[in-house]
Amino acid sequence: MAKVVRKRLGDILVDAGVLTRQEIEEAVQKRYPDEKTGDVITRLGYATEAKVQDALQEVSGIPRTNLKQYNIAKSITSLVPKDYAVNRIIMPFQMEGDSLCVALADPIDYITIDDLRLMIGKNIITYMATKQDILYAIDKFYGFSRALDALGIEEHDTQKKFEMDDKNEAKNPMVELVDQILANAVSEKASDIHVNPLPYAIDIKYRIDGMLTDEMHLPKRLYSQLVARIKVMADMDVTETRIPQDGRIKTLVLGKEIDLRISTIPTVNGEKVVLRVLDLSQSTGEFSALGFSNKDRDLLTDLIRKPNGVLLVSGPTGSGKTTSLHSFLREVEEPEKNLITVEDPVEYKSDHISQIQVNEKVGLTFASALRSILRQDPDIIMVGEIRDLEVGEIAVEAALTGHMVLSTLHTNDAPSTITRLLNPNFHSLKS
């Protein structure tokens, strides 16, 4: 365990050259009642939280921790009341032997550390984490604990066999549990939620930045209630479990308008459910907010403003292809230009763009829609995805006849897109 140097934060920051003694004195004078020194320093803009924690780490040797890498068990959160965790800005996250590891925004809050030691009767190992990460972890894991408590779930081992038990269905706790799963997904900017039925458990995963990550494991006896709750929200047939189904949910999560596309498939362990998460509050996002460097942003701006050509965005599922294309459209959207899209599905809606929803049941495919669009005198065409050779050929012909075509290709990166397009043996662009 790191040896804690019992110095005041102000002295540490002055010794580290982060603040002057005069700035510390001014911060003390401007501090609100019960406000911590670190909070007033960041509030006044004297130093960032990162600089404060850098100085604390250098002097105290207390390490940082990333709370997002932990799936914190209910047995850990039960040791510290939620109100106490919120008031002190702390998060217990794991046991090391008989010692409790606790993340603090202020790791030299000796009063809290000593109080915790007496309150739970265990040695405390302190780590640093940002205030934002701690508050997020509190909301996430204490929220799950509350819902699981109401459902009568104790600490479980996923190797243990749980019997199916739907007799004691608790509707409100299940609603709360699903809401918490959705809220965490939105907070972590997940593009997809996977509900995987295993022989003896339910595996919840999020796709974040293109990678699937474990979120939590639930006992199998909650499976029927969990899937039923999702199906009810999506207006799907709860009684049909033998065939794939699709549904859609529009709801508010954390104050944001969220569009969820639901897909179920039957497996030997039960229905697997995948929810595509679309944050509609980002639909008005500007091109400049995509995170490109100045050089790349200028290059892309020049490309999308050309009078004709084909611009392809590639990347794995959930990497932001559609979001990027719609940001490009917003960048070039002008009253003098005729913008038309063909998509499956139409995810971001715009009042000033003509958008076509693919409907293969009635013969409205990407190819047929694209041919019709060319007769509508378009300036810029967006094709949601080039799925096959026919669509690719029409897109190229459109570009050669004076149109700008924006589209996506389901490859992992730009080099593999070129390789695939140049492959003389390929018959389909669809992955």
Side-chain angles (χ1 to χ4, degrees):
M1 184 179 89
K3 183 179 179 181
V4 178
V5 179
R6 296 212 166 198
K7 296 176 65 176
R8 293 184 303 174
L9 177 60
D11 295 332
I12 291 174
L13 295 177
V14 170
D15 292 344
V18 176
L19 272 75
T20 64
R21 180 62 63 183
Q22 180 180 353
E23 287 173 324
I24 291 294
E25 291 174 355
E26 289 176 355
V28 171
Q29 292 174 358
K30 297 176 180 179
R31 182 166 55 187
Y32 297 138
D34 298 326
E35 186 178 23
K36 292 186 176 182
T37 302
D39 290 338
V40 68
I41 288 170
T42 56
R43 175 173 61 81
L44 295 174
Y46 291 165
T48 64
E49 184 179 15
K51 285 190 175 182
V52 172
Q53 292 201 338
D54 284 343
L56 285 170
Q57 186 172 23
E58 182 176 349
V59 171
S60 68
I62 296 173
R64 282 194 176 100
T65 189
N66 180 8
L67 291 173
K68 291 184 178 179
Q69 69 182 346
Y70 294 98
N71 188 16
I72 303 172
K74 187 159 67 74
S75 59
I76 301 297
T77 57
S78 64
L79 295 173
V80 180
K82 180 180 180 181
D83 289 345
Y84 186 91
V86 171
N87 290 335
R88 303 298 180 95
I89 316 295
I90 63 171
M91 184 66 199
F93 61 93
Q94 72 174 8
M95 294 294 299
E96 286 188 12
D98 194 42
S99 298
L100 178 65
C101 298
V102 179
L104 300 92
D106 180 4
I108 59 169
D109 183 356
Y110 309 119
I111 294 175
T112 295
I113 295 170
D114 291 340
D115 191 28
L116 269 177
R117 187 178 294 111
L118 292 172
M119 182 172 67
I120 65 175
K122 296 182 182 296
N123 186 42
I124 304 299
I125 302 178
T126 55
Y127 289 81
M128 278 192 295
T130 65
K131 184 175 181 179
Q132 179 180 356
D133 284 354
I134 289 173
L135 290 175
Y136 169 74
I138 291 172
D139 183 63
K140 174 179 179 179
F141 293 106
Y142 280 92
F144 273 137
S145 295
R146 184 175 61 251
L148 294 177
D149 281 340
L151 287 164
I153 304 303
E154 299 299 328
E155 202 66 33
H156 59 273
D157 179 353
T158 56
Q159 300 302 314
K160 178 181 176 182
K161 182 174 181 179
F162 288 89
E163 299 296 335
M164 296 295 290
D165 180 14
D166 298 320
K167 295 179 181 179
N168 298 318
E169 179 179 353
K171 180 179 180 182
N172 289 338
M174 181 54 67
V175 169
E176 185 175 0
L177 179 61
V178 172
D179 288 348
Q180 191 68 47
I181 291 172
L182 296 179
N184 290 350
V186 172
S187 295
E188 297 186 31
K189 297 182 179 179
S191 63
D192 300 87
I193 304 169
H194 288 239
V195 180
N196 298 324
L198 304 178
Y200 308 123
I202 311 168
D203 193 17
I204 309 292
K205 293 177 180 286
Y206 291 165
R207 187 176 294 279
I208 302 172
D209 294 331
M211 299 294 292
L212 276 179
T213 59
D214 286 321
E215 175 66 11
M216 68 182 306
H217 302 281
L218 296 171
K220 188 64 175 281
R221 69 182 180 84
L222 295 182
Y223 166 76
S224 295
Q225 299 175 52
L226 180 61
V227 174
R229 171 58 187 165
I230 295 172
K231 282 186 168 184
V232 167
M233 292 175 68
D235 196 25
M236 298 164 69
D237 188 347
V238 178
T239 63
E240 181 57 76
T241 61
R242 301 163 299 175
I243 60 175
Q245 292 190 63
D246 294 308
R248 183 172 179 176
I249 303 169
K250 277 195 174 182
T251 186
L252 284 176
V253 179
L254 301 179
K256 299 179 179 180
E257 187 180 2
I258 302 298
D259 192 0
L260 301 167
R261 307 296 169 86
I262 319 299
S263 172
T264 68
I265 58 171
T267 74
V268 294
N269 294 319
E271 287 181 285
K272 173 180 169 62
V273 183
V274 175
L275 301 88
R276 168 60 58 89
V277 182
L278 181 63
D279 186 350
L280 297 179
S281 67
Q282 297 180 353
S283 61
T284 57
E286 300 295 334
F287 173 48
S288 58
L290 289 178
F292 289 110
S293 66
N294 291 337
K295 179 181 178 181
D296 289 340
R297 186 174 65 246
D298 292 342
L299 176 61
L300 275 169
T301 301
D302 290 340
L303 289 174
I304 62 181
R305 290 190 176 278
K306 289 185 178 297
N308 63 286
V310 178
L311 176 63
L312 296 177
V313 178
S314 63
T317 298
S319 59
K321 298 187 292 296
T322 301
T323 299
S324 297
L325 286 184
H326 277 275
S327 295
F328 296 168
L329 289 177
R330 283 183 56 80
E331 180 69 12
V332 298
E333 182 182 328
E334 297 173 359
E336 299 80 12
K337 290 184 178 180
N338 180 18
L339 278 62
I340 306 179
T341 75
V342 52
E343 306 171 67
D344 184 24
V346 175
E347 295 185 344
Y348 297 107
K349 295 184 179 178
S350 173
D351 295 336
H352 307 291
I353 299 175
S354 300
Q355 297 175 278
I356 301 172
Q357 167 73 55
V358 166
N359 187 348
E360 295 188 356
K361 292 181 180 179
V362 297
L364 184 59
T365 63
F366 275 110
S368 64
L370 192 49
R371 289 193 187 94
S372 298
I373 288 172
L374 292 175
R375 296 191 289 269
Q376 290 283 316
D377 187 30
D379 294 294
I380 299 174
I381 304 168
M382 191 197 95
V383 183
E385 181 183 356
I386 294 180
R387 294 183 174 179
D388 52 47
L389 185 59
E390 182 182 13
V391 176
E393 289 176 340
I394 300 172
V396 171
E397 289 173 4
L400 292 174
T401 54
H403 305 91
M404 186 64 190
V405 180
L406 308 178
S407 189
T408 70
L409 202 61
H410 202 90
T411 53
N412 286 331
D413 49 40
S416 60
T417 299
I418 301 300
T419 301
R420 193 164 193 181
L421 290 172
L422 295 178
N423 184 354
N425 297 318
F426 88 97
H427 297 287
S428 171
L429 296 174
K430 186 176 180 181
S431 292

